[in-house]
Amino acid sequence: VGSGETLTWYDSATGGSVVTSPTLSSVGTVTYYAEASNDTTGCISETRTSVTLTLDAAPTPPTGDAAQSFCYSATVSDLSATGENIQWYDSATGGNILESSTILSNVQIVYATQTINGCESLDRLPVIVQITVPQTPTGDSSQSFCDSATISDLQVTGENIQWYDAATGGNLLDSSTALTDGQVVYATQTINGCESNSRFEVSIAITIIPE
């Protein structure tokens, strides 16, 4: 309203009751009507201006795996959740927004919201982060055999052992691959789908026993 005028809210376009505080405290829609009056003459506006107030329900939290696993390292950008405009936090309520480049730690719990039409979900999806850093398997670095041996004869300690013909890269050796005297092979272990970056070196000695 202009200078020297007073604004009054009503609950209908004509007549009705004065609304001293036009509010809405639950999900839904309500319309109020504004009328201007001149403070000097008391004259009122010929019509009232309608204003509709709408409160939308808060979105549900996004969905996704409650535990997410990574090898060696991970950042917030590696996390996955299904929803719109996902935002990650460091606590279930309040807390700090986590940037996409934030480094995660093993067994850390982070929380995701989604925002739809400008409304952010009140509840958050908790996600526990699992980061696996597999170590090199262990064993005897020199292993000896009589007459012949294959990869399956080698012994090292670890999970899901894989053998290679080089310290890096190289070829994966099948369990039936025959070994030769003086050959060097390399073992990795894989834990939770993560293969060790370094390999355990084993030197082969094969003694041929005369008949």
Side-chain angles (χ1 to χ4, degrees), residues 17-18 23 31-33 35 52 65-66 70 78 80 155 160 169:
S17 301
V18 173
T23 59
T31 300
Y32 295 106
Y33 302 85
E35 179 182 270
T52 299
D65 293 333
F70 306 94
D78 296 312
S80 178
Q155 297 292 320
N160 305 303

Side-chain angles (χ1 to χ4, degrees), residues 69-74 104-106 130-137 189-198:
S69 299
F70 306 94
C71 299
Y72 292 100
S73 65
L104 302 172
S105 58
N106 188 39
Q130 299 172 333
I131 298 177
T132 300
V133 182
Q135 302 301 308
T136 308
Q189 69 169 326
T190 298
I191 301 174
N192 296 330
C194 301
E195 188 175 21
S196 58
N197 281 335
S198 56

